[in-house]
Amino acid sequence: MTTVQDTRLTELKELAERAGRELEDASALEILTWAADTFGTKFCVTSSMEDAVVAHLASRAFPGVDVVFLDT
């Protein structure tokens, strides 16, 4: 029996595989824009205090994006 969780995991795996192919040569900003467009308000990024480049780029792709800072 397939559960809703199994179905969702399959959908996410297919989405990741398709995005990997389609975004293979994309810039970081293009990838982050895709993620923001795809996941909307469920999109967030993680960063350490030493490396805020991804958080900065994500804020350009999706102003107001949630950033989770990790103490590494």
Side-chain angles (χ1 to χ4, degrees), residues 9-46:
L9 289 174
T10 299
E11 291 170 354
L12 289 173
K13 181 180 178 187
E14 290 170 358
L15 177 66
E17 289 171 351
R18 186 172 56 251
R21 289 187 303 273
E22 293 173 2
L23 298 168
E24 184 175 2
D25 296 321
S27 70
L29 186 55
E30 290 170 325
I31 293 168
L32 289 164
T33 299
W34 171 88
D37 291 345
T38 301
F39 298 107
T41 59
K42 294 181 181 180
F43 171 63
C44 76
V45 295
T46 60

Side-chain angles (χ1 to χ4, degrees), residues 43-71:
F43 171 63
C44 76
V45 295
T46 60
S47 180
S48 68
M49 295 304 284
E50 295 177 0
D51 182 24
V53 174
V54 172
H56 171 72
L57 287 174
S59 73
R60 290 181 54 203
F62 186 36
V65 65
D66 290 330
V67 178
V68 177
F69 284 98
L70 304 174
D71 185 11

